[in-house]
Amino acid sequence: MRTTVAMKTPEEYAHRTYLAKPENKRRGVALCLSGGGFRAALFHLGALRRLNELGVLSRVDTISCVSGGSIVGAFLAEGMTPWPGPGEVWPHWDDRVSIPFYSFAARNLRTGPLVRRYLLPWNWLNGAVAVQALEESYRQRVTGLSLGQLPDHPAFVFSAADLVYGVNWTFRQDRIGDYQAGWSRQPAYPLARAVAASSCFPPVFDPMVVGLGPDELKRGQAERKARSATDPERRKRLMEARDKLVAGLRLSDGGLYDNMGLEPVWKGHEVVLVSDGGETLDFEPDRGPILRLPRYASILDRQ
């Protein structure tokens, strides 16, 4: 007996893949912690304190973190245990979160890694040195958890920017990856490394090499496109090209792609709260070709 499967029209596929769920199918509360370095992280700390005082933080189902938001998000995952029940106020905020974070943020995080990268001649050709040192700082001073040790609730999502495919890469308890490169379960992956990838702001830090083989990332759009080719030779070429790209995957600061951390949560959650610690953009006149360069970056970052 032959079964006929109705093919999705382009419109149906786009709606299923890229648009938000209907309102009556969205579930839960998401909280986004934006990028913006220590400035943003300290801003988020105040917002989180107030949400805890109101009993709102304990009702959050997903916390989406980017760059500076990823740093404070890791503090929450490490220190705010056990997570309070819905509507409850967590009583250990100062001694388990805010005081340790103030101590952490009081020290310069960039100088040490950059000294290793640029002042030691034997590291000049090793672009990974600085971001590896950043990861080690997070491991020693923020968290020693692995992704598999993140709580089931709330779900934590840490975002970086995939420089190969130009899309949002996420680290979660149950998987890492993106829709182009594919997904992989990596429960032993250090949370400190995920935070370093999310916050390695260029050009201060070079991007982080993912370090996963092409066979470890599955079900990505690039792989599906290659395997769908009907001509064997074309299929082989597409798979070889895909494998080469995936083998060289590099991740940079999540704020390059989505500084607000909205993409992982806006399609499926009923309520989305955003703590925006991004820098305000002040009005200023044109100051010539040299000083115009950082203005370009500021306007781009504002998006």
Side-chain angles (χ1 to χ4, degrees), residues 33-286:
L33 304 177
S34 78
F38 275 1
R39 178 198 65 247
L42 290 165
F43 179 90
H44 300 325
L45 192 66
L48 290 165
R49 173 190 287 276
R50 186 57 176 154
L51 290 175
N52 180 55
E53 292 171 350
L54 296 174
V56 174
L57 184 58
S58 57
R59 297 182 182 275
V60 171
D61 298 290
T62 304
I63 300 179
S64 178
C65 311
V66 179
S67 194
S70 291
I71 302 172
V72 73
F75 265 89
L76 289 183
E78 175 73 32
M80 198 169 170
T81 57
W83 195 265
E88 293 182 359
V89 176
W90 196 56
H92 309 294
W93 182 260
D94 284 335
D95 59 321
R96 298 281 294 278
V97 177
S98 66
I99 292 176
F101 189 81
Y102 287 142
S103 176
F104 168 77
R107 297 176 58 185
N108 187 312
L109 200 63
R110 291 180 297 187
T111 301
L114 293 182
V115 165
R116 293 191 197 183
R117 172 70 174 91
Y118 294 107
L119 296 187
L120 301 179
W122 52 87
N123 287 331
W124 286 352
L125 298 180
N126 185 359
V129 166
V131 72
Q132 288 172 352
L134 183 66
E135 174 191 341
E136 186 59 29
S137 294
Y138 289 145
R139 192 192 318 275
Q140 292 178 1
R141 301 175 56 199
V142 180
T143 180
L145 294 176
S146 66
L147 294 182
Q149 293 173 315
L150 287 170
D152 294 326
H153 186 272
F156 282 86
V157 182
F158 298 87
S159 291
D162 175 347
L163 294 183
V164 170
Y165 288 104
V167 297
N168 197 58
W169 174 286
T170 57
F171 298 90
R172 308 169 188 250
Q173 182 201 52
D174 60 340
R175 67 186 188 276
I176 69 173
D178 60 51
Y179 79 94
Q180 284 280 10
W183 304 94
S184 176
R185 287 184 57 84
Q186 297 287 331
Y189 200 95
L191 178 56
R193 188 175 302 165
V195 176
S198 180
S199 60
C200 56
F201 188 78
V204 179
F205 293 98
D206 289 332
M208 175 178 285
V209 177
V210 174
L212 296 179
D215 58 333
E216 294 181 89
L217 289 163
K218 299 295 186 181
R219 302 184 307 279
Q221 185 166 303
E223 181 183 12
R224 290 198 300 270
K225 180 180 179 181
R227 294 192 184 281
S228 66
T230 55
D231 179 69
E233 287 299 320
R234 174 174 167 76
R235 186 186 310 123
K236 180 181 178 181
R237 289 196 303 270
L238 288 175
M239 280 301 299
E240 288 175 349
R242 176 263 176 190
D243 290 351
K244 183 177 181 180
L245 289 172
V246 170
L249 275 175
R250 281 167 168 73
L251 305 178
S252 192
D253 190 289
L256 295 177
Y257 182 86
D258 176 15
N259 197 51
M260 303 286 272
L262 287 166
E263 182 168 291
V265 297
W266 74 269
K267 297 178 184 179
H269 288 74
E270 187 176 11
V271 176
V272 177
L273 308 174
V274 180
S275 178
D276 180 10
E279 186 177 10
T280 59
L281 186 72
D282 297 325
F283 304 140
E284 66 175 48
D286 185 77

